[in-house]
Amino acid sequence: MASQELHDLVVVANRLPVDAKTLPDGATEWVTSPGGLVTAMESVMRNVDSAAWVGWAGSPGEAPEPFRADGMDLYPVSLDATDIEKYYEGFSNATLWPLYHDVIVDPAYHRTWWDTYVSANRRFAKAAAAVTAPGGTIWVHDYQLQLVPEMIRSERPDVRIGFFNHIPFPPVELFSQLPKRNQVLRGLLGADLVGFQRESDTLNFLASVRHLLGYQVDQRTVTVPGIGAVEPRDVIAGTFPISLDTQAVTELTEDPEIKERARQLRHDLGDPENVVLGVDRLDYTKGIRHRLKAWGELLNDGSIDPRETVLVQVATPSRERVDAYRQLRDEVELTVGRINGDHAPIGRPAISYLHRSFNRRDMTALYMAADVVLVTALRDGMNLVAKEYVASRPDLRGVLVLSEFAGAADELRAALLVNPHDIDELKSAALRALSMPEEEQEEMMTSLRRQVLDHDVQSWAKHFLDELEAVGEPAPPSAPI
Ligand code: GDG
């Protein structure tokens, strides 16, 4: 168990980077979930004397006591059934998520959701403020916790606060729809540095601050006016595109067992000439319906022969208690069933649809087995699948079809960029990818890999924390609140 010591660096995210595993004797073991953020944090945490992570442990009810896992001190925050319904599934995932992703589905607004969002944010803020050393640094992550920076600041004006938004920040015309929009902006402006994935997100945020709050914005610097004894302060907004632990991906691609698994996968699919892959959380932002529509049409008009070309679609279960997600699953599965019914050869699918999670090794084997990956997001903060595919192809083979609405499109300019709303364009991009000569694939992959391998997640985290370090001295610990 971790002592309640004070830490120089504290990460705050909705989820702790661990999953509970129940052992045969009924005891709980914590297994770290190997996400990109954990890897990034591990690399920066190694360089500070004492680092910690504050977040929800994943099950409703009372939070477990603080504990250590893989060298990190973890501080669980409790969320009860009402918090999960109103703060997490409600305001975070049925209000903010669709609004921040271009209202692909209608955002729902309920006043009680907001109240619970505020109280849950306060719990995270208090937990972080309590474990941060004087003059320490707190890094808050993502849209579920937008009020946390200001809440921490009011309690701990002595600490440096950074905020990073993993999802897009919408244009002011859309953001203005959000009830409590000004409270959200003020919450974010409690940070010293607010980071976004794309330049357009940063500019959208600054435009909202200027238009809705009327604060002075000079290039990247917002001046938050002082009130009473509190001095005006500067907040910097910046663009920090997230990336992968490319070293870890490279190691997986060199593993003979995974190479063999990739060969086996193709064999299991009937050794088709072409394997096309989609990997997404089953989320309406990912453009899975558009992809299936294009694929169904290509099969209908005979442009693709299902005996030669198979589409593998991994659709990882996600947010299954939120209405729009249940509906999406039904629609996707109906469409896949229809397409397979119409086109699959006997004993083999035209679309191999996998509604479950795979481990990292299997995911890498899938990327290595795929001739084409389709990323057709209608809006996506970054989209790590696009980068993972590129990092998994040291053989320089394969083609990435990438939506221009994914943040990754800003960096991966060499991919076949598409507007996924244009089904004809999607169809021609898929056909072009399938017929791309090897030299052209090599050229594309070389250029994409240069971009991905030169910018790993460790340098992303370091860059953010270095900028945060540089944004001026916070108030001394004794400063009045
Ligand atoms: C948010 C933003 C931004 C998927 N299925 C399985 C599996 N995955 C992994 C992928 C990838 C990750 O999950 C998904 O990341 P994405 O970036 O594609 O999308 P979101 O989950 O929406 O993430 C996004 C990201 O935050 C980071 O800032 O890029 O825009 O929306 O790594 O490989 N992993 C395993 N099994 C699966 O079945 N092991």
Side-chain angles (χ1 to χ4, degrees):
M1 188 189 293
S3 59
Q4 190 90 0
E5 57 177 295
L6 297 179
H7 304 272
D8 299 326
L9 173 64
V10 175
V11 171
V12 192
N14 175 59
R15 273 302 305 270
L16 283 174
V18 285
D19 288 312
K21 201 175 123 195
T22 310
L23 299 172
D25 65 359
T28 302
E29 185 184 56
W30 295 99
V31 188
T32 31
S33 36
L37 196 54
V38 189
T39 313
M41 290 310 135
E42 274 172 352
S43 71
V44 291
M45 281 173 169
R46 270 198 292 276
N47 299 324
V48 290
D49 284 342
S50 168
W53 193 307
V54 171
W56 179 47
S59 38
E62 215 174 299
E65 287 296 307
F67 59 98
R68 271 182 84 81
D70 279 359
M72 280 183 286
D73 284 320
L74 305 182
Y75 293 90
V77 171
S78 72
L79 293 180
D80 63 19
T82 307
D83 294 323
I84 294 167
E85 184 199 329
K86 298 183 174 183
Y87 146 76
Y88 182 69
E89 293 166 351
F91 199 77
S92 296
N93 287 326
T95 304
L96 293 170
W97 181 269
L99 182 66
Y100 282 32
H101 288 88
D102 288 358
V103 296
I104 298 165
V105 309
D106 284 341
Y109 302 113
H110 294 291
R111 278 165 280 186
T112 60
W113 288 1
W114 167 255
D115 297 340
T116 311
Y117 185 79
V118 175
S119 59
N121 270 244
R122 195 171 302 288
R123 217 168 307 135
F124 284 88
K126 280 201 164 305
V131 298
T132 309
T137 296
I138 302 182
W139 189 358
V140 185
H141 289 265
D142 232 359
Y143 63 102
Q144 303 94 345
L145 302 178
Q146 293 175 102
L147 307 179
V148 168
E150 189 194 30
M151 289 171 171
I152 294 175
R153 178 164 300 282
S154 67
E155 220 173 296
R156 292 293 305 272
D158 61 298
V159 299
R160 271 199 178 75
I161 305 168
F163 179 92
F164 183 75
N165 201 45
H166 289 256
I167 70 171
F169 197 89
V172 60
E173 294 78 5
L174 288 180
F175 183 73
S176 303
Q177 290 181 16
L178 181 68
K180 317 295 179 196
R181 60 200 189 189
N182 289 1
Q183 285 93 319
V184 167
L185 290 177
R186 285 197 203 98
L188 292 168
L189 289 169
D192 298 290
L193 175 65
V194 185
F196 299 92
Q197 303 270 29
R198 298 181 98 156
E199 189 61 6
S200 53
D201 301 322
T202 308
L203 298 177
N204 286 344
F205 169 71
L206 290 169
S208 286
V209 168
R210 197 183 312 113
H211 287 114
L212 299 172
L213 296 179
Y215 290 177
Q216 189 194 322
V217 176
D218 183 9
Q219 295 189 18
R220 300 306 154 105
T221 308
V222 178
T223 304
V224 178
I227 314 170
V230 179
E231 295 284 308
R233 24 181 299 275
D234 284 347
V235 179
I236 310 291
T239 307
F240 302 86
I242 199 168
S243 190
L244 314 172
D245 182 1
T246 52
Q247 179 60 32
V249 180
T250 301
E251 280 164 22
L252 289 173
T253 61
E254 287 164 357
D255 185 328
E257 211 182 275
I258 296 179
K259 285 186 192 169
E260 177 50 33
R261 202 171 295 186
R263 270 192 293 273
Q264 184 64 40
L265 274 169
R266 289 189 75 104
H267 181 67
D268 293 346
L269 289 165
D271 282 322
E273 236 162 80
N274 305 301
V275 174
V276 178
L277 176 68
V279 175
D280 312 85
R281 270 189 313 99
L282 188 41
D283 193 299
Y284 50 80
T285 58
K286 304 292 182 182
I288 302 170
R289 281 182 291 213
H290 293 63
R291 191 180 314 163
L292 292 176
K293 183 161 180 54
W295 202 255
E297 287 189 15
L298 287 169
L299 287 164
N300 280 340
D301 61 27
S303 311
I304 280 178
D305 181 343
R307 288 162 307 182
E308 288 171 2
T309 303
V310 176
L311 172 63
V312 178
Q313 177 63 56
V314 176
T316 315
S318 184
R319 304 177 190 166
E320 296 190 294
R321 284 160 36 127
V322 178
D323 278 348
Y325 288 75
R326 278 202 283 252
Q327 220 174 60
L328 173 72
R329 181 175 178 193
D330 287 347
E331 282 172 33
V332 163
E333 294 185 354
L334 183 75
T335 309
V336 169
R338 279 203 180 137
I339 294 177
N340 274 330
D342 287 345
H343 298 285
I346 289 180
R348 275 173 36 195
I351 300 177
S352 173
Y353 171 77
L354 305 153
H355 180 255
R356 73 193 95 120
S357 235
F358 290 89
N359 63 35
R360 256 300 121 211
R361 298 173 70 81
D362 285 340
M363 295 295 293
T364 309
L366 273 167
Y367 290 133
M368 291 171 80
D371 302 293
V372 175
V373 164
L374 301 177
V375 174
T376 57
L378 305 178
R379 183 56 77 191
D380 213 335
M382 175 54 61
N383 194 288
L384 291 179
V385 168
K387 292 188 173 181
E388 284 162 5
Y389 181 48
V390 171
S392 304
R393 300 312 297 247
D395 61 345
L396 307 181
R397 290 289 183 279
V399 184
L400 174 64
V401 174
L402 175 60
S403 164
E404 59 194 55
F405 295 98
D410 281 356
E411 297 166 275
L412 306 183
R413 305 302 301 168
L416 286 186
L417 295 180
V418 288
N419 169 8
H421 295 278
D422 187 336
I423 301 296
D424 290 331
E425 192 182 317
L426 207 48
K427 287 164 67 181
S428 10
L431 291 178
R432 192 165 156 228
L434 284 166
S435 63
M436 188 179 283
E438 283 187 357
E439 317 81 77
E440 212 180 311
Q441 294 181 27
E442 221 163 271
E443 217 173 285
M444 174 190 273
M445 270 295 168
T446 306
S447 157
L448 293 174
R449 284 175 63 78
R450 201 171 302 130
Q451 175 63 38
V452 172
L453 300 182
D454 283 357
H455 301 90
D456 63 14
V457 74
Q458 289 87 347
S459 58
W460 167 80
K462 185 171 178 326
H463 182 197
F464 185 92
L465 288 170
D466 286 350
E467 290 273 310
L468 180 55
E469 191 69 26
V471 291
E473 284 298 310
S478 57
I481 294 173

